[in-house]
Amino acid sequence: MKLPDEKNKNAFDACSEKANEFLADQGKFDLLMKDAEDVASDIPVLGPVLSDLMTMIALAKSYIHGEYRDMPTKTVIAIIATAIYVVSPVDLIPDAIPVAGYVDDAAMVAFVLRQIGEDVESYRDWRNEHEA
């Protein structure tokens, strides 16, 4: 039996392969991020990771639009891969299953956040400085 992190890594790797398409096409990227924001706002089990996901989306948008570049490209790819996963109705636990269908989305956000958390925190600090 695969451990949850191993399942998340396998699913994440599959989404990462698709992420470069969105990185190269700003129109596709913008649509994906809008879809991810819409889906995320409707997922009740995201709870505390909802804020993290919304920050991750804002970070990727800031990077793509040239506002914030103080991070490696792999961080943006990780965020795009997470958005692909969250938007996809077919993932480890299908989203059609009430509540449980979104638990894997929350787990994926937490999994990716463990990988890129420092970049997300740096972005939060930068954003707070520039909003003041």
Side-chain angles (χ1 to χ4, degrees):
M1 182 173 160
K2 291 184 176 183
L3 299 172
D5 272 354
E6 186 179 344
K7 287 181 181 180
N8 283 337
K9 183 180 181 334
N10 291 341
F12 174 78
D13 289 346
C15 292
S16 291
E17 292 176 17
K18 297 176 189 173
N20 283 315
E21 295 174 30
F22 293 90
L23 190 58
D25 184 332
Q26 187 170 337
K28 282 179 76 171
F29 170 84
D30 288 338
L31 287 173
L32 174 66
M33 292 299 120
K34 168 114 178 57
D35 287 348
E37 288 171 330
D38 291 346
V39 168
S41 64
D42 291 337
I43 300 176
V45 298
L46 277 180
V49 297
L50 177 60
S51 173
D52 292 327
L53 177 58
M54 297 308 264
T55 300
M56 290 165 59
I57 291 169
L59 169 56
K61 289 165 94 174
S62 291
Y63 181 89
I64 293 294
H65 295 269
E67 299 163 353
Y68 181 81
R69 295 287 179 126
D70 192 19
M71 67 182 155
T73 305
K74 69 180 185 172
T75 295
V76 178
I77 291 171
I79 295 168
I80 294 170
T82 304
I84 292 168
Y85 187 86
V86 167
V87 167
S88 174
V90 181
D91 41 36
L92 294 176
I93 303 172
D95 293 346
I97 299 171
V99 182
Y102 296 116
V103 170
D104 64 317
D105 294 332
M108 180 62 73
V109 172
F111 172 79
V112 172
L113 193 58
R114 286 193 303 271
Q115 314 305 312
I116 65 168
E118 288 183 24
D119 292 329
V120 173
E121 285 306 314
S122 293
Y123 174 72
R124 277 190 177 121
D125 293 343
W126 175 85
R127 188 173 64 183
N128 288 339
E129 288 175 14
H130 286 82
E131 287 178 353

PDB file of all heavy atoms in Angstrom, residues 47-72:
ATOM      1  N   GLY A  47     -10.533  24.516   4.576  1.00  0.00           N
ATOM      2  CA  GLY A  47     -10.361  25.197   5.857  1.00  0.00           C
ATOM      3  C   GLY A  47      -9.087  26.004   5.940  1.00  0.00           C
ATOM      4  O   GLY A  47      -8.905  26.973   5.211  1.00  0.00           O
ATOM      5  N   PRO A  48      -8.166  25.596   6.829  1.00  0.00           N
ATOM      6  CA  PRO A  48      -6.954  26.390   7.044  1.00  0.00           C
ATOM      7  C   PRO A  48      -6.013  26.445   5.841  1.00  0.00           C
ATOM      8  O   PRO A  48      -5.244  27.389   5.720  1.00  0.00           O
ATOM      9  CB  PRO A  48      -6.269  25.702   8.225  1.00  0.00           C
ATOM     10  CG  PRO A  48      -6.909  24.379   8.369  1.00  0.00           C
ATOM     11  CD  PRO A  48      -8.253  24.451   7.709  1.00  0.00           C
ATOM     12  N   VAL A  49      -6.083  25.472   4.948  1.00  0.00           N
ATOM     13  CA  VAL A  49      -5.170  25.533   3.794  1.00  0.00           C
ATOM     14  C   VAL A  49      -5.733  26.397   2.673  1.00  0.00           C
ATOM     15  O   VAL A  49      -5.029  26.690   1.714  1.00  0.00           O
ATOM     16  CB  VAL A  49      -4.779  24.132   3.252  1.00  0.00           C
ATOM     17  CG1 VAL A  49      -4.034  23.333   4.279  1.00  0.00           C
ATOM     18  CG2 VAL A  49      -5.960  23.387   2.706  1.00  0.00           C
ATOM     19  N   LEU A  50      -7.002  26.849   2.793  1.00  0.00           N
ATOM     20  CA  LEU A  50      -7.577  27.715   1.766  1.00  0.00           C
ATOM     21  C   LEU A  50      -6.759  28.992   1.625  1.00  0.00           C
ATOM     22  O   LEU A  50      -6.432  29.411   0.521  1.00  0.00           O
ATOM     23  CB  LEU A  50      -9.042  28.050   2.074  1.00  0.00           C
ATOM     24  CG  LEU A  50      -9.704  29.002   1.083  1.00  0.00           C
ATOM     25  CD1 LEU A  50      -9.691  28.426  -0.331  1.00  0.00           C
ATOM     26  CD2 LEU A  50     -11.121  29.311   1.510  1.00  0.00           C
ATOM     27  N   SER A  51      -6.396  29.596   2.738  1.00  0.00           N
ATOM     28  CA  SER A  51      -5.584  30.810   2.707  1.00  0.00           C
ATOM     29  C   SER A  51      -4.244  30.543   2.032  1.00  0.00           C
ATOM     30  O   SER A  51      -3.775  31.350   1.223  1.00  0.00           O
ATOM     31  CB  SER A  51      -5.369  31.325   4.127  1.00  0.00           C
ATOM     32  OG  SER A  51      -4.464  32.405   4.122  1.00  0.00           O
ATOM     33  N   ASP A  52      -3.641  29.395   2.352  1.00  0.00           N
ATOM     34  CA  ASP A  52      -2.360  29.047   1.734  1.00  0.00           C
ATOM     35  C   ASP A  52      -2.517  28.859   0.229  1.00  0.00           C
ATOM     36  O   ASP A  52      -1.683  29.325  -0.552  1.00  0.00           O
ATOM     37  CB  ASP A  52      -1.792  27.769   2.352  1.00  0.00           C
ATOM     38  CG  ASP A  52      -1.377  27.961   3.798  1.00  0.00           C
ATOM     39  OD1 ASP A  52      -0.926  29.078   4.151  1.00  0.00           O
ATOM     40  OD2 ASP A  52      -1.496  27.005   4.576  1.00  0.00           O
ATOM     41  N   LEU A  53      -3.589  28.171  -0.185  1.00  0.00           N
ATOM     42  CA  LEU A  53      -3.809  27.964  -1.617  1.00  0.00           C
ATOM     43  C   LEU A  53      -4.032  29.289  -2.325  1.00  0.00           C
ATOM     44  O   LEU A  53      -3.468  29.528  -3.394  1.00  0.00           O
ATOM     45  CB  LEU A  53      -5.000  27.024  -1.853  1.00  0.00           C
ATOM     46  CG  LEU A  53      -5.375  26.783  -3.319  1.00  0.00           C
ATOM     47  CD1 LEU A  53      -4.199  26.215  -4.108  1.00  0.00           C
ATOM     48  CD2 LEU A  53      -6.583  25.872  -3.413  1.00  0.00           C
ATOM     49  N   MET A  54      -4.817  30.171  -1.741  1.00  0.00           N
ATOM     50  CA  MET A  54      -5.068  31.468  -2.371  1.00  0.00           C
ATOM     51  C   MET A  54      -3.778  32.295  -2.444  1.00  0.00           C
ATOM     52  O   MET A  54      -3.544  32.984  -3.437  1.00  0.00           O
ATOM     53  CB  MET A  54      -6.162  32.223  -1.619  1.00  0.00           C
ATOM     54  CG  MET A  54      -7.504  31.490  -1.660  1.00  0.00           C
ATOM     55  SD  MET A  54      -8.045  31.019  -3.312  1.00  0.00           S
ATOM     56  CE  MET A  54      -9.113  32.371  -3.704  1.00  0.00           C
ATOM     57  N   THR A  55      -2.929  32.186  -1.437  1.00  0.00           N
ATOM     58  CA  THR A  55      -1.634  32.873  -1.481  1.00  0.00           C
ATOM     59  C   THR A  55      -0.750  32.268  -2.565  1.00  0.00           C
ATOM     60  O   THR A  55      -0.068  32.995  -3.294  1.00  0.00           O
ATOM     61  CB  THR A  55      -0.922  32.809  -0.112  1.00  0.00           C
ATOM     62  OG1 THR A  55      -1.751  33.432   0.870  1.00  0.00           O
ATOM     63  CG2 THR A  55       0.428  33.508  -0.151  1.00  0.00           C
ATOM     64  N   MET A  56      -0.768  30.946  -2.673  1.00  0.00           N
ATOM     65  CA  MET A  56       0.016  30.283  -3.720  1.00  0.00           C
ATOM     66  C   MET A  56      -0.435  30.743  -5.100  1.00  0.00           C
ATOM     67  O   MET A  56       0.399  31.031  -5.982  1.00  0.00           O
ATOM     68  CB  MET A  56      -0.112  28.761  -3.589  1.00  0.00           C
ATOM     69  CG  MET A  56       0.595  28.201  -2.375  1.00  0.00           C
ATOM     70  SD  MET A  56       0.115  26.497  -1.936  1.00  0.00           S
ATOM     71  CE  MET A  56       0.537  25.579  -3.412  1.00  0.00           C
ATOM     72  N   ILE A  57      -1.753  30.854  -5.306  1.00  0.00           N
ATOM     73  CA  ILE A  57      -2.281  31.317  -6.592  1.00  0.00           C
ATOM     74  C   ILE A  57      -1.840  32.751  -6.849  1.00  0.00           C
ATOM     75  O   ILE A  57      -1.389  33.090  -7.947  1.00  0.00           O
ATOM     76  CB  ILE A  57      -3.819  31.170  -6.619  1.00  0.00           C
ATOM     77  CG1 ILE A  57      -4.206  29.687  -6.655  1.00  0.00           C
ATOM     78  CG2 ILE A  57      -4.416  31.923  -7.809  1.00  0.00           C
ATOM     79  CD1 ILE A  57      -5.682  29.424  -6.418  1.00  0.00           C
ATOM     80  N   ALA A  58      -1.936  33.604  -5.837  1.00  0.00           N
ATOM     81  CA  ALA A  58      -1.503  35.001  -5.987  1.00  0.00           C
ATOM     82  C   ALA A  58      -0.011  35.079  -6.304  1.00  0.00           C
ATOM     83  O   ALA A  58       0.417  35.895  -7.134  1.00  0.00           O
ATOM     84  CB  ALA A  58      -1.822  35.788  -4.714  1.00  0.00           C
ATOM     85  N   LEU A  59       0.770  34.230  -5.674  1.00  0.00           N
ATOM     86  CA  LEU A  59       2.215  34.185  -5.925  1.00  0.00           C
ATOM     87  C   LEU A  59       2.499  33.831  -7.377  1.00  0.00           C
ATOM     88  O   LEU A  59       3.290  34.502  -8.052  1.00  0.00           O
ATOM     89  CB  LEU A  59       2.864  33.173  -4.983  1.00  0.00           C
ATOM     90  CG  LEU A  59       4.305  32.755  -5.224  1.00  0.00           C
ATOM     91  CD1 LEU A  59       5.245  33.940  -5.253  1.00  0.00           C
ATOM     92  CD2 LEU A  59       4.746  31.775  -4.151  1.00  0.00           C
ATOM     93  N   ALA A  60       1.836  32.796  -7.875  1.00  0.00           N
ATOM     94  CA  ALA A  60       2.049  32.392  -9.266  1.00  0.00           C
ATOM     95  C   ALA A  60       1.627  33.498 -10.226  1.00  0.00           C
ATOM     96  O   ALA A  60       2.323  33.780 -11.206  1.00  0.00           O
ATOM     97  CB  ALA A  60       1.286  31.103  -9.566  1.00  0.00           C
ATOM     98  N   LYS A  61       0.511  34.143  -9.935  1.00  0.00           N
ATOM     99  CA  LYS A  61       0.053  35.243 -10.795  1.00  0.00           C
ATOM    100  C   LYS A  61       1.053  36.396 -10.783  1.00  0.00           C
ATOM    101  O   LYS A  61       1.354  36.974 -11.834  1.00  0.00           O
ATOM    102  CB  LYS A  61      -1.322  35.716 -10.328  1.00  0.00           C
ATOM    103  CG  LYS A  61      -2.422  34.716 -10.622  1.00  0.00           C
ATOM    104  CD  LYS A  61      -3.683  35.035  -9.853  1.00  0.00           C
ATOM    105  CE  LYS A  61      -4.653  35.860 -10.609  1.00  0.00           C
ATOM    106  NZ  LYS A  61      -5.935  36.036  -9.871  1.00  0.00           N
ATOM    107  N   SER A  62       1.561  36.728  -9.607  1.00  0.00           N
ATOM    108  CA  SER A  62       2.556  37.802  -9.513  1.00  0.00           C
ATOM    109  C   SER A  62       3.816  37.464 -10.303  1.00  0.00           C
ATOM    110  O   SER A  62       4.427  38.335 -10.923  1.00  0.00           O
ATOM    111  CB  SER A  62       2.913  38.072  -8.047  1.00  0.00           C
ATOM    112  OG  SER A  62       1.827  38.643  -7.368  1.00  0.00           O
ATOM    113  N   TYR A  63       4.196  36.193 -10.270  1.00  0.00           N
ATOM    114  CA  TYR A  63       5.379  35.753 -11.016  1.00  0.00           C
ATOM    115  C   TYR A  63       5.132  35.860 -12.526  1.00  0.00           C
ATOM    116  O   TYR A  63       5.924  36.452 -13.254  1.00  0.00           O
ATOM    117  CB  TYR A  63       5.732  34.318 -10.636  1.00  0.00           C
ATOM    118  CG  TYR A  63       6.957  33.795 -11.352  1.00  0.00           C
ATOM    119  CD1 TYR A  63       8.220  33.972 -10.821  1.00  0.00           C
ATOM    120  CD2 TYR A  63       6.846  33.137 -12.578  1.00  0.00           C
ATOM    121  CE1 TYR A  63       9.351  33.504 -11.471  1.00  0.00           C
ATOM    122  CE2 TYR A  63       7.972  32.668 -13.245  1.00  0.00           C
ATOM    123  CZ  TYR A  63       9.215  32.852 -12.685  1.00  0.00           C
ATOM    124  OH  TYR A  63      10.325  32.393 -13.343  1.00  0.00           O
ATOM    125  N   ILE A  64       4.032  35.307 -12.980  1.00  0.00           N
ATOM    126  CA  ILE A  64       3.721  35.289 -14.409  1.00  0.00           C
ATOM    127  C   ILE A  64       3.571  36.710 -14.956  1.00  0.00           C
ATOM    128  O   ILE A  64       3.990  37.001 -16.063  1.00  0.00           O
ATOM    129  CB  ILE A  64       2.439  34.464 -14.696  1.00  0.00           C
ATOM    130  CG1 ILE A  64       2.678  32.993 -14.386  1.00  0.00           C
ATOM    131  CG2 ILE A  64       1.943  34.653 -16.120  1.00  0.00           C
ATOM    132  CD1 ILE A  64       3.689  32.291 -15.276  1.00  0.00           C
ATOM    133  N   HIS A  65       2.996  37.597 -14.163  1.00  0.00           N
ATOM    134  CA  HIS A  65       2.775  38.970 -14.607  1.00  0.00           C
ATOM    135  C   HIS A  65       3.980  39.871 -14.340  1.00  0.00           C
ATOM    136  O   HIS A  65       3.918  41.078 -14.553  1.00  0.00           O
ATOM    137  CB  HIS A  65       1.502  39.527 -13.969  1.00  0.00           C
ATOM    138  CG  HIS A  65       0.275  38.803 -14.419  1.00  0.00           C
ATOM    139  ND1 HIS A  65      -0.469  39.175 -15.502  1.00  0.00           N
ATOM    140  CD2 HIS A  65      -0.323  37.673 -13.944  1.00  0.00           C
ATOM    141  CE1 HIS A  65      -1.468  38.327 -15.676  1.00  0.00           C
ATOM    142  NE2 HIS A  65      -1.393  37.406 -14.740  1.00  0.00           N
ATOM    143  N   GLY A  66       5.094  39.289 -13.888  1.00  0.00           N
ATOM    144  CA  GLY A  66       6.351  40.021 -13.734  1.00  0.00           C
ATOM    145  C   GLY A  66       6.421  40.930 -12.525  1.00  0.00           C
ATOM    146  O   GLY A  66       7.325  41.755 -12.426  1.00  0.00           O
ATOM    147  N   GLU A  67       5.517  40.780 -11.572  1.00  0.00           N
ATOM    148  CA  GLU A  67       5.508  41.649 -10.398  1.00  0.00           C
ATOM    149  C   GLU A  67       6.447  41.155  -9.305  1.00  0.00           C
ATOM    150  O   GLU A  67       6.956  41.948  -8.522  1.00  0.00           O
ATOM    151  CB  GLU A  67       4.084  41.723  -9.831  1.00  0.00           C
ATOM    152  CG  GLU A  67       3.080  42.291 -10.813  1.00  0.00           C
ATOM    153  CD  GLU A  67       1.644  41.983 -10.429  1.00  0.00           C
ATOM    154  OE1 GLU A  67       1.414  41.211  -9.467  1.00  0.00           O
ATOM    155  OE2 GLU A  67       0.748  42.499 -11.099  1.00  0.00           O
ATOM    156  N   TYR A  68       6.630  39.852  -9.248  1.00  0.00           N
ATOM    157  CA  TYR A  68       7.452  39.245  -8.196  1.00  0.00           C
ATOM    158  C   TYR A  68       8.197  38.066  -8.798  1.00  0.00           C
ATOM    159  O   TYR A  68       7.579  37.131  -9.299  1.00  0.00           O
ATOM    160  CB  TYR A  68       6.564  38.774  -7.032  1.00  0.00           C
ATOM    161  CG  TYR A  68       7.328  38.160  -5.886  1.00  0.00           C
ATOM    162  CD1 TYR A  68       7.952  38.962  -4.935  1.00  0.00           C
ATOM    163  CD2 TYR A  68       7.429  36.781  -5.752  1.00  0.00           C
ATOM    164  CE1 TYR A  68       8.651  38.404  -3.873  1.00  0.00           C
ATOM    165  CE2 TYR A  68       8.124  36.204  -4.684  1.00  0.00           C
ATOM    166  CZ  TYR A  68       8.734  37.027  -3.753  1.00  0.00           C
ATOM    167  OH  TYR A  68       9.419  36.475  -2.706  1.00  0.00           O
ATOM    168  N   ARG A  69       9.522  38.122  -8.761  1.00  0.00           N
ATOM    169  CA  ARG A  69      10.324  37.064  -9.379  1.00  0.00           C
ATOM    170  C   ARG A  69      11.352  36.460  -8.430  1.00  0.00           C
ATOM    171  O   ARG A  69      12.218  35.712  -8.853  1.00  0.00           O
ATOM    172  CB  ARG A  69      11.068  37.615 -10.611  1.00  0.00           C
ATOM    173  CG  ARG A  69      10.177  38.046 -11.741  1.00  0.00           C
ATOM    174  CD  ARG A  69       9.599  36.830 -12.414  1.00  0.00           C
ATOM    175  NE  ARG A  69       8.719  37.174 -13.497  1.00  0.00           N
ATOM    176  CZ  ARG A  69       8.835  36.723 -14.710  1.00  0.00           C
ATOM    177  NH1 ARG A  69       9.810  35.911 -15.026  1.00  0.00           N
ATOM    178  NH2 ARG A  69       7.974  37.067 -15.628  1.00  0.00           N
ATOM    179  N   ASP A  70      11.243  36.735  -7.142  1.00  0.00           N
ATOM    180  CA  ASP A  70      12.246  36.299  -6.180  1.00  0.00           C
ATOM    181  C   ASP A  70      11.984  34.867  -5.699  1.00  0.00           C
ATOM    182  O   ASP A  70      11.765  34.634  -4.503  1.00  0.00           O
ATOM    183  CB  ASP A  70      12.287  37.272  -5.002  1.00  0.00           C
ATOM    184  CG  ASP A  70      13.495  37.059  -4.111  1.00  0.00           C
ATOM    185  OD1 ASP A  70      14.461  36.437  -4.572  1.00  0.00           O
ATOM    186  OD2 ASP A  70      13.451  37.498  -2.944  1.00  0.00           O
ATOM    187  N   MET A  71      11.991  33.941  -6.648  1.00  0.00           N
ATOM    188  CA  MET A  71      11.792  32.522  -6.339  1.00  0.00           C
ATOM    189  C   MET A  71      12.190  31.707  -7.557  1.00  0.00           C
ATOM    190  O   MET A  71      12.238  32.219  -8.668  1.00  0.00           O
ATOM    191  CB  MET A  71      10.345  32.247  -5.970  1.00  0.00           C
ATOM    192  CG  MET A  71       9.416  32.449  -7.142  1.00  0.00           C
ATOM    193  SD  MET A  71       7.749  32.166  -6.666  1.00  0.00           S
ATOM    194  CE  MET A  71       6.925  33.151  -7.890  1.00  0.00           C
ATOM    195  N   PRO A  72      12.466  30.438  -7.347  1.00  0.00           N
ATOM    196  CA  PRO A  72      12.813  29.594  -8.490  1.00  0.00           C
ATOM    197  C   PRO A  72      11.576  29.246  -9.322  1.00  0.00           C
ATOM    198  O   PRO A  72      10.455  29.192  -8.813  1.00  0.00           O
ATOM    199  CB  PRO A  72      13.407  28.331  -7.849  1.00  0.00           C
ATOM    200  CG  PRO A  72      12.930  28.332  -6.444  1.00  0.00           C
ATOM    201  CD  PRO A  72      12.628  29.754  -6.071  1.00  0.00           C
TER     202      PRO A  72
END
